[in-house]
Amino acid sequence: MNTPDLTPDAVVADTLALRRIEPAYQQIASQLRALILEGRLPAGSRLPTEDKLCATFGVSRTTVREALRMLSADNLVITTRGATGGTFVTTPDVLAVQQRLQTSLRLLNGSNEISHDELYEARVLLEIPAVRAATRRRTPEGVARLRALAADVEAARTTPDRTTRSEDFHQAIFDIAGNRVIALIAPPIWAALSLSWRERGSAHSWASIDHEHDQIMEHIERGDEDGAARAMLKHLQELRDIRRPEQS
Amino acid sequence: MNTPDLTPDAVVADTLALRRIEPAYQQIASQLRALILEGRLPAGSRLPTEDKLCATFGVSRTTVREALRMLSADNLVITTRGATGGTFVTTPDVLAVQQRLQTSLRLLNGSNEISHDELYEARVLLEIPAVRAATRRRTPEGVARLRALAADVEAARTTPDRTTRSEDFHQAIFDIAGNRVIALIAPPIWAALSLSWRERGSAHSWASIDHEHDQIMEHIERGDEDGAARAMLKHLQELRDIRRPEQS
DNA sequence: CTGTATTTGTCCGTATGTATA
DNA sequence: ATATACATACGGACAAATACA
């Protein structure tokens, strides 16, 4: 009656929509994960003890623990030891999300699924609109903060320190721009980018970078959106050229 | 001699830079993770069997397995059963990265660390530069693909189907824009956004959406970057207004 | 300060399921 | 069909950390 040209096995699998069986620990992890994502287990709430989870799921303690380890790797729960210990639903953490995204981008870059040039272009594509938004939404406090950070960059003497301070300066622009989604996504892209860049800072290039920072700040302060965008683009190109000198 | 106003405990902890002890399974996961990220365990390579890992780390099987579960939750390894089974380093997977980013954004949105408006603005901030890049880098094949997808949207009759097709249309623009970093990041943002949007498609709004798609396509085809950007902005605003009608 | 209870961390031994040769 | 190699799962036990009386 039912597609007689298929093998009996295939018919059964197809008509009943059978799925490959999943290990117990994965099923448990999936169920708990769903509860957390649906908000039925709110952040900070405590899961049952491992023994109770064993009872409810009808599995051994090893199985439950493996499921909990998966959730903790997802940054969905943390477990603490001791009398008042247990497994608790974590509050979402921006930093953890950024670190995870960074390693993912790094791996995708390593396997040539995304290229160096795309990372750089993505940075430009994020940072130009961001500096425009920052110009529109600037506040006296924000501008003052930028000035202080630019001074920190100039004061830094070693290359690693300079790099860190410079990233703070750029991050501050994202903060002033006021979009936390963009502010969250941009740093992992920079980080993945700079992992394959060789640092080549010289006293000469540092001076020109300081000058570019100043120009960006001035345009932001004056409310000159186009000028700020132009200055930022020039700055990013300069940063790229410093770190990847032409190799003839 | 050494900061005598601190408690002895604090002095010891400070001078020796002591760290909180980590469970064995976390240490093992960290070590293996580092090996994978450094590329010393290339994608596809096979880890030692659980028994051998027990021997090298000097721990029991339980501990090794919990560490492996953490790595598998990170999408760094997969394990298969059977004689030729074992634990293998995975090749980086774009889809897995996107899904993870989506759930992260969803959680951050739920805990008010990022707002609805920021998600929408982020979409605009990514999509306007993308449609500009797509216009510059358009190819006849790409434009033909856009036409086909726009026709698919018009042909779709149910609201969910329409939504899916429309996302395909937008995704195609990202593909033509040629930046896989942006193309990777945008969909999770949409998805997190649409989770809190109520679908409210009506026949009337569908017609205007189809018209906007056509206009975007025409500007891309003519190479009119500014026009394409304007049309896209108008379209995104329309999409927002449909789904979030003013609630007076 | 000293148990004591609670809970996770870790180990061992054993049995089962699964895929390959 | 049988053997082999591997992950999966169980149950029991003890150690270690933490809070609290």
Side-chain angles (χ1 to χ4, degrees):
Chain A
M1 304 284 152
N2 201 335
T3 59
D5 50 334
L6 293 180
T7 67
D9 289 358
V11 171
V12 170
D14 193 44
T15 55
L16 298 182
L18 303 181
R19 311 179 309 270
R20 184 176 184 79
I21 70 153
E22 282 189 339
Y25 58 82
Q26 276 190 19
Q27 298 179 45
I28 294 173
S30 296
Q31 289 190 41
L32 293 177
R33 186 186 347 256
L35 286 182
I36 295 172
L37 292 183
E38 288 166 10
R40 303 189 52 182
L41 285 175
S45 65
R46 183 186 156 158
L47 271 62
T49 66
E50 294 177 352
D51 277 331
K52 289 183 181 172
L53 288 174
C54 295
T56 57
F57 287 111
V59 297
S60 74
R61 198 152 152 245
T62 20
T63 305
V64 164
R65 284 179 60 80
E66 289 182 14
L68 293 179
R69 290 297 86 76
M70 296 188 75
L71 295 179
S72 80
D74 280 341
N75 273 302
L76 292 177
V77 302
I78 62 172
T79 77
T80 63
R81 301 173 68 169
T84 58
T87 303
F88 300 85
V89 179
T90 57
T91 68
D93 177 9
V94 170
L95 204 65
V97 174
Q98 288 179 314
Q99 285 170 346
R100 190 176 290 285
L101 182 57
Q102 177 187 337
T103 67
S104 298
L105 291 176
R106 179 177 167 186
L107 285 171
L108 289 171
N109 182 28
S111 70
N112 293 323
E113 296 232 37
I114 58 180
S115 72
H116 206 84
D117 290 344
E118 285 169 313
L119 284 168
Y120 172 75
E121 190 191 58
R123 172 169 183 176
V124 174
L125 253 45
L126 289 175
E127 198 135 353
I128 300 296
V131 78
R132 285 184 175 277
T135 304
R136 290 195 304 274
R137 296 170 182 167
R138 72 190 180 282
T139 62
E141 299 76 34
V143 173
R145 176 134 191 276
L146 275 185
R147 288 214 174 281
L149 288 170
D152 287 347
V153 178
E154 294 189 35
R157 280 276 151 267
T158 67
T159 300
D161 192 24
R162 248 192 111 72
T163 306
T164 306
R165 306 288 181 181
S166 180
E167 281 170 6
D168 291 343
F169 177 82
H170 286 261
Q171 183 64 49
I173 293 178
F174 281 103
D175 292 338
I176 296 171
N179 188 299
R180 285 171 290 184
V181 177
I182 302 294
L184 177 140
I185 287 171
I189 293 178
W190 307 348
L193 190 58
S194 43
L195 275 177
S196 35
W197 269 354
R198 269 178 308 168
E199 290 299 336
R200 281 187 154 243
S202 66
H204 170 266
S205 58
W206 288 1
S208 91
I209 285 174
D210 290 334
H211 179 60
E212 289 158 15
H213 283 173
D214 288 341
Q215 283 199 310
I216 293 170
M217 264 189 316
E218 282 175 22
H219 285 116
I220 291 177
E221 194 165 10
R222 283 206 304 271
D224 179 1
E225 232 185 276
D226 292 336
R230 271 197 312 273
M232 177 61 81
L233 178 59
K234 189 182 160 208
H235 176 51
L236 293 175
Q237 289 171 340
E238 172 82 11
L239 285 178
R240 180 194 55 189
D241 294 340
I242 289 175
R243 289 182 168 94
R244 190 206 284 164
E246 42 253 289
Q247 305 173 2
S248 58
Chain B
M1 304 297 140
N2 201 337
T3 59
D5 50 333
L6 292 178
T7 67
D9 289 359
V11 171
V12 170
D14 193 45
T15 55
L16 299 183
L18 301 181
R19 310 180 308 270
R20 183 176 185 78
I21 71 152
E22 282 189 337
Y25 59 81
Q26 276 190 20
Q27 299 179 44
I28 294 173
S30 296
Q31 289 191 40
L32 293 176
R33 188 187 344 260
L35 286 182
I36 295 172
L37 294 183
E38 288 166 10
R40 302 190 51 184
L41 285 174
S45 65
R46 182 185 158 162
L47 271 61
T49 66
E50 294 178 353
D51 277 330
K52 289 183 181 171
L53 288 174
C54 296
T56 58
F57 287 111
V59 297
S60 77
R61 196 107 178 280
T62 323
T63 305
V64 165
R65 283 179 62 78
E66 290 183 12
L68 292 179
R69 290 295 85 76
M70 296 187 74
L71 295 180
S72 80
D74 280 341
N75 274 302
L76 292 178
V77 302
I78 61 172
T79 75
T80 63
R81 286 177 284 199
T84 57
T87 303
F88 300 86
V89 179
T90 58
T91 68
D93 178 9
V94 169
L95 203 65
V97 174
Q98 288 180 314
Q99 285 170 345
R100 191 175 288 286
L101 182 58
Q102 176 187 338
T103 67
S104 298
L105 291 176
R106 179 177 166 185
L107 285 171
L108 289 171
N109 182 28
S111 71
N112 295 323
E113 296 231 39
I114 58 180
S115 72
H116 208 82
D117 290 344
E118 285 169 312
L119 284 169
Y120 172 76
E121 190 191 60
R123 173 168 182 177
V124 175
L125 254 44
L126 289 175
E127 199 136 352
I128 300 297
V131 78
R132 286 183 175 276
T135 305
R136 289 196 303 274
R137 296 171 183 169
R138 72 189 181 282
T139 62
E141 300 75 34
V143 173
R145 176 134 191 276
L146 275 185
R147 288 215 175 280
L149 288 171
D152 287 346
V153 179
E154 294 189 33
R157 281 275 152 267
T158 67
T159 299
D161 191 23
R162 246 192 112 71
T163 305
T164 306
R165 307 286 181 180
S166 180
E167 280 170 6
D168 291 343
F169 177 81
H170 285 262
Q171 183 63 50
I173 292 178
F174 281 103
D175 292 338
I176 296 171
N179 188 300
R180 285 171 291 184
V181 177
I182 302 293
L184 177 138
I185 286 171
I189 294 178
W190 307 348
L193 189 58
S194 43
L195 275 177
S196 36
W197 267 354
R198 269 178 309 169
E199 289 300 335
R200 282 188 154 243
S202 67
H204 170 266
S205 59
W206 288 2
S208 91
I209 284 174
D210 290 334
H211 180 60
E212 288 158 16
H213 282 173
D214 288 341
Q215 282 199 311
I216 292 170
M217 263 189 317
E218 282 173 23
H219 284 116
I220 290 177
E221 193 165 11
R222 283 206 304 270
D224 180 2
E225 231 185 278
D226 291 337
R230 272 198 311 274
M232 177 61 81
L233 179 58
K234 190 182 159 207
H235 175 52
L236 293 176
Q237 289 171 338
E238 174 81 11
L239 285 178
R240 179 194 56 190
D241 293 340
I242 289 175
R243 291 184 168 92
R244 190 206 285 164
E246 42 252 291
Q247 307 174 1
S248 58

